[in-house]
Amino acid sequence: MARIPVMRFWLNLNPKMTIRLLPRLLPNTYQRTIPRVPFVCRRYASTSKTSASTQEGSDPQMKWVLTSLAVVTTGVLGANAYWYMTAPKRVMPLEYERFNNFTLKEVIPVNHDTSLFRFRAAHQSHDGTQVPVELRKTKGAFQVTTNEYVPAPNHILIKDDTCQVGRCYTPIAYGRDYFDLLIKKYPNGSVSSMIHDLKPGEDFIIARGPILSFPYTENMADRIIMIAGGTGITPMYQLIKQILKDPKDKTNVSLVYGSKTESDILLGNELHVLSQKYPDRLQVNHVIQNATSTTSSRGFGSIHQGIIDERVLSSIGIPKPADEPLILVCGPDGMVEWLAGEKKSENNQGPLRGVLAKLGYTPQQVFKF
């Protein structure tokens, strides 16, 4: 690749300068393919001041030299182009400060509007790597590259260059050479629609990260209540896995997961496996808005009908404000606003309102993703 700019610069020079530079730029190639070129070049360079047009028109040897140069130049440029097109592309890592391209490896449909997307990436230290607590407390101060472990929950930022819009997505898994995203397609979602239109092995996304979503530390609360809706389950799932695999973390987690229908439940099997393995530390409660008489939990956990409101939360038995639980909320904007008030921006949680405010919880006890 480095030869192509040299060739462009070389071709822009005048013929006399080109003749002088060629033996130095590619001596071995020209000595092997055109034995007389160095001799003719030296002869031409030492000639007294004669116009280029007269020299080209009157010297048959010079015509032969220039023709040979054109042939060899075309060959070198063609070889460089072939190398560039056929050379294996470098797989880039996720980086906090720089956007890189990540090719789609595989798509696995999950339900009627959500799929799992696996992207190729150069990753990453194993999940057991720990980060100093002082770096994990301040969201803005925690900036690391992919080669350093970012604690859960974390997300990546994907941008759509066609409309200059970016969206945050939480990977549900990081592998040695990939990361997985669970993405729902929204009718008016430019980024989600763009991702759902990608073809495996051909198309790519432009992303950066991982970026710390919430500065969680082990045992920061005795009980955590996670309230999620739709694909808002992804940061909860990521954090649940981190809490349960840490033998030093004794936190008890209660998940309240809202879905429109039974088929809209995401990661149901994965959550069920974790709740069966850690029954004393994880309780999973599904709240289905359009539940019917035939609706069952499919073994995923307990089922509650309706929407997540005071009645449902009370029936589930979430801790009272005096017990100082930590409540995490993630889901569609309307759901978050209904439960905890509007989130103003990434750096502004906004005032606590809605269902949780009515139940007496304080802003220090609630975090909105």
Side-chain angles (χ1 to χ4, degrees):
M1 293 178 62
R3 293 179 182 175
I4 294 178
V6 173
M7 290 299 175
R8 290 175 181 167
F9 170 75
W10 173 18
L11 294 174
N12 288 332
L13 297 176
N14 58 59
K16 187 173 181 179
M17 184 61 69
T18 302
I19 295 299
R20 289 180 175 176
L21 290 178
L22 279 175
R24 299 181 181 178
L25 290 174
L26 297 169
N28 295 332
T29 302
Y30 280 85
Q31 297 259 358
R32 186 167 58 251
T33 59
I34 311 176
R36 296 190 61 189
V37 168
F39 169 76
V40 177
C41 290
R42 288 193 295 272
R43 174 187 171 192
Y44 180 80
S46 61
T47 304
S48 59
K49 297 181 180 180
T50 305
S51 65
S53 59
T54 303
Q55 186 79 359
E56 293 174 9
S58 60
D59 192 344
Q61 283 186 324
M62 187 50 55
K63 288 184 178 180
W64 175 80
V65 170
L66 294 177
T67 302
S68 301
L69 294 181
V71 171
V72 175
T73 298
T74 303
V76 173
L77 289 174
N80 275 276
Y82 176 80
W83 177 84
Y84 177 77
M85 296 299 293
T86 59
K89 303 298 186 294
R90 179 188 175 192
V91 179
M92 299 299 293
L94 278 165
E95 296 181 88
Y96 180 88
E97 295 182 343
R98 186 173 69 176
F99 284 95
N100 289 326
N101 297 344
F102 302 96
T103 302
L104 178 63
K105 293 181 61 176
E106 186 180 5
V107 180
I108 302 175
V110 176
N111 60 23
H112 60 284
D113 61 3
T114 305
S115 296
L116 185 146
F117 296 84
R118 174 162 292 183
F119 293 93
R120 188 184 306 277
H123 276 319
Q124 176 167 348
S125 58
H126 57 82
D127 288 351
T129 305
Q130 296 299 315
V131 176
V133 173
E134 59 269 21
L135 293 180
R136 299 166 65 172
K137 291 182 178 178
T138 305
K139 180 178 178 181
F142 195 86
Q143 302 179 7
V144 298
T145 65
T146 311
N147 293 325
E148 300 174 85
Y149 175 58
V150 179
N154 61 69
H155 62 273
I156 65 173
L157 177 63
I158 301 176
K159 68 175 181 178
D160 182 1
D161 271 353
T162 61
C163 57
Q164 294 300 310
V165 173
R167 291 289 182 268
C168 296
Y169 293 94
T170 301
I172 60 172
Y174 289 103
R176 292 182 62 87
D177 61 350
Y178 69 89
F179 59 86
D180 291 342
L181 298 177
L182 193 63
I183 299 178
K184 178 178 179 178
K185 184 176 182 180
Y186 292 93
N188 298 322
S190 61
V191 178
S192 67
S193 297
M194 177 270 293
I195 295 174
H196 273 262
D197 290 338
L198 298 178
K199 297 179 180 179
E202 300 179 14
D203 299 327
F204 59 87
I205 59 171
I206 304 172
R208 71 177 183 89
I211 303 165
L212 188 67
S213 303
F214 173 72
Y216 176 81
T217 57
E218 62 186 32
N219 299 310
M220 68 184 304
D222 291 335
R223 291 196 65 182
I224 296 180
I225 311 301
M226 299 182 178
I227 307 177
T231 52
I233 189 63
T234 54
M236 308 302 189
Y237 177 67
Q238 198 186 71
L239 182 55
I240 287 172
K241 289 194 298 180
Q242 176 171 300
I243 291 174
L244 295 180
K245 75 182 179 185
D246 185 355
K248 297 179 181 179
D249 198 334
K250 306 303 180 182
T251 303
N252 183 282
V253 178
S254 293
L255 173 65
V256 182
Y257 183 21
S259 305
K260 288 184 178 181
T261 66
E262 185 180 3
S263 63
D264 289 314
I265 297 176
L266 303 175
L267 299 172
N269 287 320
E270 291 82 354
L271 292 167
H272 176 65
V273 170
L274 290 174
S275 65
Q276 293 296 302
K277 186 175 181 179
Y278 303 96
D280 297 330
R281 300 182 60 197
L282 174 63
Q283 298 81 45
V284 179
N285 302 275
H286 291 282
V287 181
I288 299 180
Q289 183 175 349
N290 300 322
T292 65
S293 58
T294 60
T295 298
S296 67
S297 65
R298 293 187 291 170
F300 292 167
S302 61
I303 289 289
H304 303 265
Q305 185 174 356
I307 63 174
I308 303 175
D309 55 13
E310 296 97 321
R311 176 188 62 82
V312 169
L313 293 178
S314 297
S315 65
I316 291 174
I318 67 171
K320 297 180 179 180
D323 296 327
E324 299 184 346
L326 172 63
I327 301 180
L328 306 177
V329 182
C330 186
D333 292 342
M335 173 187 169
V336 174
E337 186 172 354
W338 162 259
L339 288 169
E342 180 185 6
K343 180 180 178 180
K344 298 297 183 181
S345 68
E346 283 297 314
N347 299 316
N348 184 356
Q349 286 278 298
L352 179 63
R353 294 172 179 163
V355 172
L356 296 176
K358 293 178 183 178
L359 290 174
Y361 296 98
T362 66
Q364 291 73 30
Q365 293 174 316
V366 179
F367 180 84
K368 295 172 264 188
F369 283 92

PDB file of all heavy atoms in Angstrom, residues 323-345:
ATOM      1  N   ASP A 323     -35.477   0.115  53.245  1.00  0.00           N
ATOM      2  CA  ASP A 323     -34.498  -0.974  53.156  1.00  0.00           C
ATOM      3  C   ASP A 323     -33.309  -0.617  52.276  1.00  0.00           C
ATOM      4  O   ASP A 323     -32.365  -1.421  52.132  1.00  0.00           O
ATOM      5  CB  ASP A 323     -35.163  -2.237  52.606  1.00  0.00           C
ATOM      6  CG  ASP A 323     -36.246  -2.749  53.542  1.00  0.00           C
ATOM      7  OD1 ASP A 323     -36.090  -2.583  54.766  1.00  0.00           O
ATOM      8  OD2 ASP A 323     -37.250  -3.304  53.047  1.00  0.00           O
ATOM      9  N   GLU A 324     -33.359   0.558  51.671  1.00  0.00           N
ATOM     10  CA  GLU A 324     -32.278   1.112  50.851  1.00  0.00           C
ATOM     11  C   GLU A 324     -31.843   0.182  49.711  1.00  0.00           C
ATOM     12  O   GLU A 324     -30.655  -0.140  49.568  1.00  0.00           O
ATOM     13  CB  GLU A 324     -31.062   1.463  51.727  1.00  0.00           C
ATOM     14  CG  GLU A 324     -31.370   2.514  52.774  1.00  0.00           C
ATOM     15  CD  GLU A 324     -30.138   2.911  53.560  1.00  0.00           C
ATOM     16  OE1 GLU A 324     -29.121   2.198  53.470  1.00  0.00           O
ATOM     17  OE2 GLU A 324     -30.203   3.945  54.258  1.00  0.00           O
ATOM     18  N   PRO A 325     -32.797  -0.245  48.890  1.00  0.00           N
ATOM     19  CA  PRO A 325     -32.392  -1.027  47.712  1.00  0.00           C
ATOM     20  C   PRO A 325     -31.867  -0.105  46.613  1.00  0.00           C
ATOM     21  O   PRO A 325     -32.082   1.112  46.635  1.00  0.00           O
ATOM     22  CB  PRO A 325     -33.700  -1.687  47.287  1.00  0.00           C
ATOM     23  CG  PRO A 325     -34.742  -0.667  47.646  1.00  0.00           C
ATOM     24  CD  PRO A 325     -34.257  -0.033  48.931  1.00  0.00           C
ATOM     25  N   LEU A 326     -31.197  -0.697  45.645  1.00  0.00           N
ATOM     26  CA  LEU A 326     -30.794   0.015  44.441  1.00  0.00           C
ATOM     27  C   LEU A 326     -31.734  -0.419  43.328  1.00  0.00           C
ATOM     28  O   LEU A 326     -31.902  -1.615  43.083  1.00  0.00           O
ATOM     29  CB  LEU A 326     -29.349  -0.317  44.071  1.00  0.00           C
ATOM     30  CG  LEU A 326     -28.840   0.220  42.719  1.00  0.00           C
ATOM     31  CD1 LEU A 326     -28.855   1.743  42.694  1.00  0.00           C
ATOM     32  CD2 LEU A 326     -27.444  -0.321  42.418  1.00  0.00           C
ATOM     33  N   ILE A 327     -32.354   0.545  42.632  1.00  0.00           N
ATOM     34  CA  ILE A 327     -33.315   0.234  41.575  1.00  0.00           C
ATOM     35  C   ILE A 327     -32.750   0.719  40.246  1.00  0.00           C
ATOM     36  O   ILE A 327     -32.423   1.908  40.093  1.00  0.00           O
ATOM     37  CB  ILE A 327     -34.685   0.884  41.845  1.00  0.00           C
ATOM     38  CG1 ILE A 327     -35.229   0.395  43.186  1.00  0.00           C
ATOM     39  CG2 ILE A 327     -35.666   0.560  40.721  1.00  0.00           C
ATOM     40  CD1 ILE A 327     -36.580   0.982  43.567  1.00  0.00           C
ATOM     41  N   LEU A 328     -32.631  -0.188  39.279  1.00  0.00           N
ATOM     42  CA  LEU A 328     -32.140   0.124  37.949  1.00  0.00           C
ATOM     43  C   LEU A 328     -33.289  -0.022  36.952  1.00  0.00           C
ATOM     44  O   LEU A 328     -34.019  -1.026  36.992  1.00  0.00           O
ATOM     45  CB  LEU A 328     -30.994  -0.811  37.558  1.00  0.00           C
ATOM     46  CG  LEU A 328     -29.812  -0.898  38.535  1.00  0.00           C
ATOM     47  CD1 LEU A 328     -28.791  -1.913  38.050  1.00  0.00           C
ATOM     48  CD2 LEU A 328     -29.167   0.472  38.714  1.00  0.00           C
ATOM     49  N   VAL A 329     -33.443   0.969  36.076  1.00  0.00           N
ATOM     50  CA  VAL A 329     -34.552   0.981  35.125  1.00  0.00           C
ATOM     51  C   VAL A 329     -34.000   1.140  33.719  1.00  0.00           C
ATOM     52  O   VAL A 329     -33.191   2.040  33.455  1.00  0.00           O
ATOM     53  CB  VAL A 329     -35.544   2.132  35.421  1.00  0.00           C
ATOM     54  CG1 VAL A 329     -36.726   2.082  34.448  1.00  0.00           C
ATOM     55  CG2 VAL A 329     -36.029   2.062  36.867  1.00  0.00           C
ATOM     56  N   CYS A 330     -34.444   0.257  32.790  1.00  0.00           N
ATOM     57  CA  CYS A 330     -34.011   0.366  31.396  1.00  0.00           C
ATOM     58  C   CYS A 330     -35.110  -0.171  30.487  1.00  0.00           C
ATOM     59  O   CYS A 330     -35.666  -1.245  30.734  1.00  0.00           O
ATOM     60  CB  CYS A 330     -32.715  -0.409  31.167  1.00  0.00           C
ATOM     61  SG  CYS A 330     -32.017  -0.172  29.511  1.00  0.00           S
ATOM     62  N   GLY A 331     -35.420   0.588  29.452  1.00  0.00           N
ATOM     63  CA  GLY A 331     -36.453   0.167  28.515  1.00  0.00           C
ATOM     64  C   GLY A 331     -36.808   1.298  27.575  1.00  0.00           C
ATOM     65  O   GLY A 331     -36.088   2.307  27.480  1.00  0.00           O
ATOM     66  N   PRO A 332     -37.907   1.172  26.853  1.00  0.00           N
ATOM     67  CA  PRO A 332     -38.351   2.257  25.975  1.00  0.00           C
ATOM     68  C   PRO A 332     -38.566   3.550  26.751  1.00  0.00           C
ATOM     69  O   PRO A 332     -38.862   3.526  27.958  1.00  0.00           O
ATOM     70  CB  PRO A 332     -39.678   1.722  25.403  1.00  0.00           C
ATOM     71  CG  PRO A 332     -39.578   0.232  25.540  1.00  0.00           C
ATOM     72  CD  PRO A 332     -38.771  -0.005  26.779  1.00  0.00           C
ATOM     73  N   ASP A 333     -38.409   4.676  26.070  1.00  0.00           N
ATOM     74  CA  ASP A 333     -38.509   5.978  26.738  1.00  0.00           C
ATOM     75  C   ASP A 333     -39.824   6.135  27.487  1.00  0.00           C
ATOM     76  O   ASP A 333     -39.856   6.660  28.610  1.00  0.00           O
ATOM     77  CB  ASP A 333     -38.354   7.101  25.710  1.00  0.00           C
ATOM     78  CG  ASP A 333     -36.952   7.168  25.127  1.00  0.00           C
ATOM     79  OD1 ASP A 333     -36.033   6.603  25.749  1.00  0.00           O
ATOM     80  OD2 ASP A 333     -36.772   7.766  24.053  1.00  0.00           O
ATOM     81  N   GLY A 334     -40.925   5.695  26.894  1.00  0.00           N
ATOM     82  CA  GLY A 334     -42.218   5.831  27.550  1.00  0.00           C
ATOM     83  C   GLY A 334     -42.303   5.044  28.838  1.00  0.00           C
ATOM     84  O   GLY A 334     -42.889   5.515  29.831  1.00  0.00           O
ATOM     85  N   MET A 335     -41.705   3.856  28.849  1.00  0.00           N
ATOM     86  CA  MET A 335     -41.712   3.025  30.050  1.00  0.00           C
ATOM     87  C   MET A 335     -40.870   3.659  31.152  1.00  0.00           C
ATOM     88  O   MET A 335     -41.283   3.702  32.323  1.00  0.00           O
ATOM     89  CB  MET A 335     -41.180   1.635  29.710  1.00  0.00           C
ATOM     90  CG  MET A 335     -40.985   0.740  30.911  1.00  0.00           C
ATOM     91  SD  MET A 335     -40.175  -0.809  30.481  1.00  0.00           S
ATOM     92  CE  MET A 335     -39.798  -1.445  32.104  1.00  0.00           C
ATOM     93  N   VAL A 336     -39.673   4.139  30.783  1.00  0.00           N
ATOM     94  CA  VAL A 336     -38.802   4.779  31.776  1.00  0.00           C
ATOM     95  C   VAL A 336     -39.491   6.006  32.374  1.00  0.00           C
ATOM     96  O   VAL A 336     -39.447   6.227  33.596  1.00  0.00           O
ATOM     97  CB  VAL A 336     -37.446   5.156  31.134  1.00  0.00           C
ATOM     98  CG1 VAL A 336     -36.592   5.962  32.112  1.00  0.00           C
ATOM     99  CG2 VAL A 336     -36.693   3.902  30.692  1.00  0.00           C
ATOM    100  N   GLU A 337     -40.120   6.805  31.524  1.00  0.00           N
ATOM    101  CA  GLU A 337     -40.804   8.005  32.023  1.00  0.00           C
ATOM    102  C   GLU A 337     -41.968   7.632  32.923  1.00  0.00           C
ATOM    103  O   GLU A 337     -42.216   8.289  33.941  1.00  0.00           O
ATOM    104  CB  GLU A 337     -41.293   8.827  30.833  1.00  0.00           C
ATOM    105  CG  GLU A 337     -41.879  10.170  31.232  1.00  0.00           C
ATOM    106  CD  GLU A 337     -42.189  11.052  30.041  1.00  0.00           C
ATOM    107  OE1 GLU A 337     -41.847  10.662  28.899  1.00  0.00           O
ATOM    108  OE2 GLU A 337     -42.785  12.134  30.245  1.00  0.00           O
ATOM    109  N   TRP A 338     -42.704   6.583  32.598  1.00  0.00           N
ATOM    110  CA  TRP A 338     -43.818   6.122  33.421  1.00  0.00           C
ATOM    111  C   TRP A 338     -43.344   5.665  34.803  1.00  0.00           C
ATOM    112  O   TRP A 338     -43.979   5.959  35.827  1.00  0.00           O
ATOM    113  CB  TRP A 338     -44.537   4.984  32.694  1.00  0.00           C
ATOM    114  CG  TRP A 338     -45.412   4.114  33.546  1.00  0.00           C
ATOM    115  CD1 TRP A 338     -45.117   2.885  34.038  1.00  0.00           C
ATOM    116  CD2 TRP A 338     -46.738   4.421  34.010  1.00  0.00           C
ATOM    117  NE1 TRP A 338     -46.157   2.379  34.773  1.00  0.00           N
ATOM    118  CE2 TRP A 338     -47.177   3.314  34.779  1.00  0.00           C
ATOM    119  CE3 TRP A 338     -47.597   5.510  33.863  1.00  0.00           C
ATOM    120  CZ2 TRP A 338     -48.426   3.272  35.378  1.00  0.00           C
ATOM    121  CZ3 TRP A 338     -48.853   5.459  34.467  1.00  0.00           C
ATOM    122  CH2 TRP A 338     -49.248   4.356  35.206  1.00  0.00           C
ATOM    123  N   LEU A 339     -42.212   4.990  34.838  1.00  0.00           N
ATOM    124  CA  LEU A 339     -41.743   4.429  36.103  1.00  0.00           C
ATOM    125  C   LEU A 339     -40.942   5.413  36.943  1.00  0.00           C
ATOM    126  O   LEU A 339     -41.058   5.424  38.174  1.00  0.00           O
ATOM    127  CB  LEU A 339     -40.870   3.200  35.825  1.00  0.00           C
ATOM    128  CG  LEU A 339     -41.590   1.950  35.340  1.00  0.00           C
ATOM    129  CD1 LEU A 339     -40.592   0.914  34.849  1.00  0.00           C
ATOM    130  CD2 LEU A 339     -42.466   1.369  36.448  1.00  0.00           C
ATOM    131  N   ALA A 340     -40.092   6.241  36.284  1.00  0.00           N
ATOM    132  CA  ALA A 340     -39.130   7.044  37.055  1.00  0.00           C
ATOM    133  C   ALA A 340     -38.970   8.470  36.545  1.00  0.00           C
ATOM    134  O   ALA A 340     -38.093   9.184  37.033  1.00  0.00           O
ATOM    135  CB  ALA A 340     -37.771   6.352  37.054  1.00  0.00           C
ATOM    136  N   GLY A 341     -39.762   8.882  35.600  1.00  0.00           N
ATOM    137  CA  GLY A 341     -39.595  10.223  35.052  1.00  0.00           C
ATOM    138  C   GLY A 341     -38.637  10.229  33.873  1.00  0.00           C
ATOM    139  O   GLY A 341     -37.851   9.299  33.677  1.00  0.00           O
ATOM    140  N   GLU A 342     -38.675  11.279  33.100  1.00  0.00           N
ATOM    141  CA  GLU A 342     -37.865  11.371  31.889  1.00  0.00           C
ATOM    142  C   GLU A 342     -36.376  11.497  32.220  1.00  0.00           C
ATOM    143  O   GLU A 342     -35.981  12.246  33.116  1.00  0.00           O
ATOM    144  CB  GLU A 342     -38.296  12.591  31.070  1.00  0.00           C
ATOM    145  CG  GLU A 342     -37.515  12.787  29.791  1.00  0.00           C
ATOM    146  CD  GLU A 342     -37.880  14.069  29.071  1.00  0.00           C
ATOM    147  OE1 GLU A 342     -38.663  14.867  29.639  1.00  0.00           O
ATOM    148  OE2 GLU A 342     -37.377  14.287  27.951  1.00  0.00           O
ATOM    149  N   LYS A 343     -35.572  10.763  31.455  1.00  0.00           N
ATOM    150  CA  LYS A 343     -34.120  10.925  31.538  1.00  0.00           C
ATOM    151  C   LYS A 343     -33.715  12.001  30.548  1.00  0.00           C
ATOM    152  O   LYS A 343     -33.949  11.878  29.337  1.00  0.00           O
ATOM    153  CB  LYS A 343     -33.416   9.613  31.213  1.00  0.00           C
ATOM    154  CG  LYS A 343     -31.900   9.707  31.284  1.00  0.00           C
ATOM    155  CD  LYS A 343     -31.234   8.376  30.952  1.00  0.00           C
ATOM    156  CE  LYS A 343     -29.722   8.503  30.984  1.00  0.00           C
ATOM    157  NZ  LYS A 343     -29.039   7.227  30.662  1.00  0.00           N
ATOM    158  N   LYS A 344     -33.087  13.064  31.038  1.00  0.00           N
ATOM    159  CA  LYS A 344     -32.801  14.223  30.192  1.00  0.00           C
ATOM    160  C   LYS A 344     -31.701  13.934  29.177  1.00  0.00           C
ATOM    161  O   LYS A 344     -31.801  14.294  28.014  1.00  0.00           O
ATOM    162  CB  LYS A 344     -32.394  15.406  31.065  1.00  0.00           C
ATOM    163  CG  LYS A 344     -33.490  15.876  32.033  1.00  0.00           C
ATOM    164  CD  LYS A 344     -34.715  16.376  31.295  1.00  0.00           C
ATOM    165  CE  LYS A 344     -35.764  16.909  32.250  1.00  0.00           C
ATOM    166  NZ  LYS A 344     -36.980  17.386  31.538  1.00  0.00           N
ATOM    167  N   SER A 345     -30.620  13.308  29.621  1.00  0.00           N
ATOM    168  CA  SER A 345     -29.491  13.024  28.739  1.00  0.00           C
ATOM    169  C   SER A 345     -28.610  11.974  29.409  1.00  0.00           C
ATOM    170  O   SER A 345     -28.899  11.517  30.527  1.00  0.00           O
ATOM    171  CB  SER A 345     -28.683  14.291  28.438  1.00  0.00           C
ATOM    172  OG  SER A 345     -28.021  14.747  29.606  1.00  0.00           O
TER     173      SER A 345
END
